[in-house]
Amino acid sequence: MPLLEVRHLVKEFSRRRGIFGATSVVKAVDDVSFTVERGETFGLVGESGSGKTTTGRCILRLIEPSSGDVVFDGKDVLTLSRGELRRARRDMQIVFQDPYSSLNPRMRVGDIVEEPLVIHRLGSKAERRARVRELFDLVGLNPDHLERHPHEFSGGQRQRIGLARALALNPSFIIADEPVSALDVSVQAQVVNLLMDLQQRLTLTYLFIAHDLRLVEHICSRVAVMYLGKIVEMGETARLFATPQHPYTRALLSAIPVPDPDAPRQRIVLDPNSFNRAAPLREIAAGHYAAT
Amino acid sequence: MSDIAGRGARDAGREGPGARDAGREGRGARDAGREARVGVAPSAPRTPDPAPRLLSVEGLNTVFDLRGGTAPAVIDVSFHVNAGETLCLVGESGSGKSVTALSILRLVQRPGRIASGSVLFNGRDLLTVSEREMQHVRGAEIALIFQEPMTALNPVFTIGDQIEETLIVHGEARGRAARERAIELLGAVSIPEPDRRVRDYPHQLSGGLRQRALIAMALACKPSVLIADEPTTALDVTIQAQILDLLRDLKKRFGLALLLITHDLGVVAEMADRVAVMYAGRIVEEAPVRELFQNPRHPYTQGLLASIPGGARGSRLAAIQGTVPPLGHLPPGCPFAPRCPRRFEPCDTAVPGVTVIEDRGARPEARKTESRTSDLGPRTSDLGHTTRCYLYSPAVEPEVLPEAPMKKSR
Ligand SMILES: Nc1ncnc2c1ncn2[C@@H]1O[C@H](COP(=O)(O)OP(=O)(O)OP(=O)(O)O)[C@@H](O)[C@H]1O
Ligand SMILES: Nc1ncnc2c1ncn2[C@@H]1O[C@H](COP(=O)(O)OP(=O)(O)O)[C@@H](O)[C@H]1O
Ligand code: SF4
Ligand SMILES: [Mg+2]
Ligand SMILES: [Mg+2]
């Protein structure tokens, strides 16, 4: 049984044009289905606004999906009561895109990491403090810096703080929403190594949302490509990168700047009229799906 | 596009005998000084008349006056950009790239200030010209585009208004002509339906279109130098690819000198002719792009290249440990020493000086003596491949005086 199963997920936002304008409905997530196996890193890629973050937030019910099913560890997340949802959330955590704005600047970092334990009323004060020190150690931060504030840390360190907080409740599943996009490559490598180490040590499952396709190729076992709210292609990372089928995937892969001045460049420009947006995903080879 | 293309005439005027001679004389004198100090001719035979050096930064020091004291953000930085050439400035955030860009245009705000150095442009030192002249340079001669296009555009005016405003302020065009030129410029940066888009407000454009509008605005007065500070960092790869293609095309068509600031080595590989790697305020390595990727010398450059994701899936990435030292907290000796995997005895003693690396590709017989060294001082940008590291020479940086007061501007 997969750890996470998302079926026909839809999220609509209504937007009004101007004060008197008519409201229009945007399908930010439009009939998205995929599964994530235990222990794997599943990548979600696609251009800005394609619905990646919205998908992640719907899975955790940080926003309510319009329709669809989310089954986590055998439980239907969308029908859970508030209390049940709270318990389920201990097992599913999110690390946010922006290490600068996602941490409360007025709180001490030790308190930031401790907060989930307090919210869930776990342990005594002393036990929680010990756990925070342990978490700091786990993510490679100095436990003597618990009293400091977020601005005293670099971007990579702040991302570690976010990760320590996410790990506080011992989750099995983490949605990492662009966890390293704001970081320099050198520091990015530190955080990526940490994510991979923690996955091994704590048997974590990741939904890894990212822009950087090189990174996705490196760490994800499978990947789904989103375009305008839909998954247009999905499959084993190596296979999908080697033989992309959907015109959008091809354009996306051809746009990655290759760090080799002699690499041949053949930019494929996407012609949005060259494919049928309503085409359903179909299996074109074992485990490789494309909406073509 | 005819009007932009019309810059040719203007450029010819700009490079009139006066300006050019002044530039060349300055260069000649410097070169002579360098040769004398080196004692040996640099490895690669220098072309008799190199491409015109349009913008040349020499020994730039920019500091911040903080409560705890004066902290250097840009230290002894020298480089140049030729017409029709792209120089990429790379390095981790906080290494001083943006402060360098701001210093060139004298836009550094308090508590920051330029302590010393010169910025030679068309025979003038921009650090000594009047503020009035500088205002002209900013709009019409050296354009700057930033990472976040939204902050550089005014939300309450249409993009057409904003381009026209630039044209009017610099006396390029007014009235109907200004509007037509704005539309033309939007077309030049490949904004679809420019005659309709000219009436759009910034928030009505996507990130990629906003960045294009900003580039159009930057090009309005036909600058000869474009400084782009992380112009694609906030954009998707597909949009980034389009903007990079656009910049490359504009550079070719108009002979722009492009100073491209980025931390993405993929972008560097695609765009650069030459690359300067910056660390903790200094340029620690400079080389033509191929040379830099094939033959990186500074351990920091090597670390940056190694940390690009690659290799077997799930394998550990080669991270550089630690972080850039914060402003005002430079370690003694080589600033990279606390993070350097190849650090050895001399590294903590003094800042390593600049070393010229022989071009292995061009002179195979030179392989035996790979590097040759001397105290070249800061002016190294013509020397091909240079680095600052004791692995290649024991040269020590001559004491610089970042505190030397800058010549007062008139
Ligand atoms: N609260 C909201 N109200 C209205 N529209 C929204 C809201 N949140 C998201 N959207 C819209 O939903 C779409 C998908 O947004 P989402 O944040 O999921 O994109 P994303 O793929 O994560 O993009 P990025 O790569 O930029 O983070 C976009 O068109 C966005 O403007
Ligand atoms: N207004 C400012 N006040 C104080 N320090 C600053 C200011 N602007 C930049 N700095 C510092 O100067 C150094 C170089 O910054 P910057 O040029 O922005 O780096 P980069 O563009 O390479 O990321 C950093 O240590 C930064 O914190
Ligand atoms: S001088 Fe020493 S510490 Fe600095 S980069 Fe070279 S080897 Fe490393
Ligand atoms: Mg997002
Ligand atoms: Mg910057």
Side-chain angles (χ1 to χ4, degrees), chain B residues 298-299 334 336-337 340 342-344 347 352 389-391:
Chain B
H298 197 282
C334 172
F336 189 57
C340 183
R342 302 181 67 184
R343 161 187 197 170
F344 60 122
C347 301
C389 171
Y390 290 129
L391 291 170

Side-chain angles (χ1 to χ4, degrees), chain B residues 93-94 97-99 147 229-230 261:
Chain B
S93 71
K97 308 180 297 292
S98 296
V99 174
Q147 172 166 356
D229 190 354
E230 314 243 9
I261 298 176

Side-chain angles (χ1 to χ4, degrees), chain B residues 228-312:
Chain B
D229 190 354
E230 314 243 9
T232 59
T233 303
L235 304 175
D236 282 329
V237 272
T238 42
I239 315 292
Q240 162 170 290
Q242 293 165 16
I243 299 288
L244 294 180
D245 286 346
L246 171 67
L247 287 175
R248 205 183 293 116
D249 176 55
L250 293 169
K251 179 191 86 165
K252 249 195 237 127
R253 267 198 292 169
F254 307 130
L256 276 178
L258 183 59
L259 174 59
L260 181 62
I261 298 176
T262 175
H263 64 254
D264 184 334
L265 290 158
V267 171
V268 173
E270 291 214 349
M271 300 292 291
D273 295 306
R274 283 182 297 118
V275 188
V277 181
M278 207 162 175
Y279 186 78
R282 287 187 174 84
I283 290 178
V284 297
E285 182 156 15
E286 190 193 319
V289 66
R290 265 196 192 82
E291 170 72 3
L292 190 96
F293 277 81
Q294 285 166 7
N295 200 11
R297 293 309 184 96
H298 197 282
Y300 178 60
T301 314
Q302 293 171 348
L304 283 181
L305 286 167
S307 61
I308 299 171

